[in-house]
């Protein structure tokens, strides 16, 4: 019986987020809708994280992809931003909140911006009444160099919705 219980526990931990004692492994995928400070633009995209925790401290490797919309109907200035990096956060024991900060390697497509480092910050909220659902606020600050010129400041803040397994 002990072996069967151990096999079921190991199998469930690979399919769903599980906490064993002080340890946690929780994959999360989701979508985001953000507002960017340059020209009142909206962005949309998706992300994937794997939250790994010991006690209440969590770490998460992160992949994030955003599409920055056109500044106007007639403009052809939309571009894409991909970020790969990591986050560190702390789960608040009483509330289902996890504030986090982190950094990512950021690349751009369809625009003359060089690769840079982005700083990420936010709050993840586990919805208590709906299992697996997370919502949150997510922000990104980066200042890439313009090809052949100065730096371009990007500050993006938005809402996220995701599934944590």
């Amino acid at each position: 019986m002990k072996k069967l219980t151990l096999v079921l526990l190991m199998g469930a931990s690979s399919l769903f987020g599980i906490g064993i004692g002080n340890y946690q492994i929780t994959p999360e995928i989701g979508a985001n809708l953000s507002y960017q400070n340059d020209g009142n633009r909206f962005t949309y995209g998706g992300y994937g994280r794997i939250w790994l925790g010991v006690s209440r401290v969590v770490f998460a490797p992160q992949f994030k992809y955003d599409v920055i919309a056109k500044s106007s109907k007639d403009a052809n200035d939309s571009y894409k931003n991909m970020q790969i990096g990591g986050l560190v956060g702390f789960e608040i024991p009483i509330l289902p909140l996890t504030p986090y900060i982190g950094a990512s390697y950021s690349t751009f497509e369809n625009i003359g911006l060089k690769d840079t480092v982005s700083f990420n910050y936010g709050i993840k909220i586990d919805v208590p009444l709906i299992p697996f659902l997370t919502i949150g606020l997510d922000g990104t600050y980066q200042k890439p160099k313009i090809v052949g010129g100065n730096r371009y400041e990007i500050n993006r803040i938005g809402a996220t919705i995701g599934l944590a397994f």
Side-chain angles (χ1 to χ4, degrees), residues 13 47 81 93:
S13 68
Y47 65 90
N81 179 218

Side-chain angles (χ1 to χ4, degrees), residues 41-95:
R41 293 182 181 210
F42 283 95
T43 72
Y44 58 92
Y47 65 90
R49 303 173 182 144
I50 300 175
W51 295 98
L52 307 168
V54 176
S55 292
R56 297 284 180 193
V57 178
V58 291
F59 302 93
Q62 165 182 261
F63 172 80
K64 190 173 174 184
Y65 188 80
D66 289 314
V67 176
I68 293 77
K70 296 179 183 181
S71 59
S72 68
K73 187 172 92 172
D74 298 328
N76 190 19
D77 58 353
S78 67
Y79 61 94
K80 297 168 180 69
N81 179 218
M82 183 176 65
Q83 299 174 30
I84 298 172
L87 304 170
V88 62
F90 181 77
E91 290 182 338
I92 298 175
I94 307 287
L95 305 171

Side-chain angles (χ1 to χ4, degrees), residues 48-156:
R49 303 173 182 144
I50 300 175
W51 295 98
L52 307 168
V54 176
S55 292
R56 297 284 180 193
V57 178
V58 291
F59 302 93
Q62 165 182 261
F63 172 80
K64 190 173 174 184
Y65 188 80
D66 289 314
V67 176
I68 293 77
K70 296 179 183 181
S71 59
S72 68
K73 187 172 92 172
D74 298 328
N76 190 19
D77 58 353
S78 67
Y79 61 94
K80 297 168 180 69
N81 179 218
M82 183 176 65
Q83 299 174 30
I84 298 172
L87 304 170
V88 62
F90 181 77
E91 290 182 338
I92 298 175
I94 307 287
L95 305 171
L97 296 175
T98 305
Y100 59 85
I101 59 171
S104 299
Y105 179 73
S106 181
T107 62
F108 297 91
E109 186 180 323
N110 297 338
I111 192 167
L113 297 174
K114 293 188 176 184
D115 298 349
T116 189
V117 173
S118 65
F119 300 100
N120 307 102
Y121 53 92
I123 296 174
K124 177 181 76 105
I125 303 166
D126 296 320
V127 179
L129 300 175
I130 305 170
F132 307 117
L133 183 66
T134 63
I135 58 173
L137 296 173
D138 186 62
T140 299
Y141 177 81
Q142 49 193 334
K143 204 166 181 179
K145 199 169 195 177
I146 300 170
V147 174
N150 295 330
R151 293 200 171 266
Y152 184 67
E153 185 174 356
I154 298 172
N155 195 10
R156 188 180 307 143

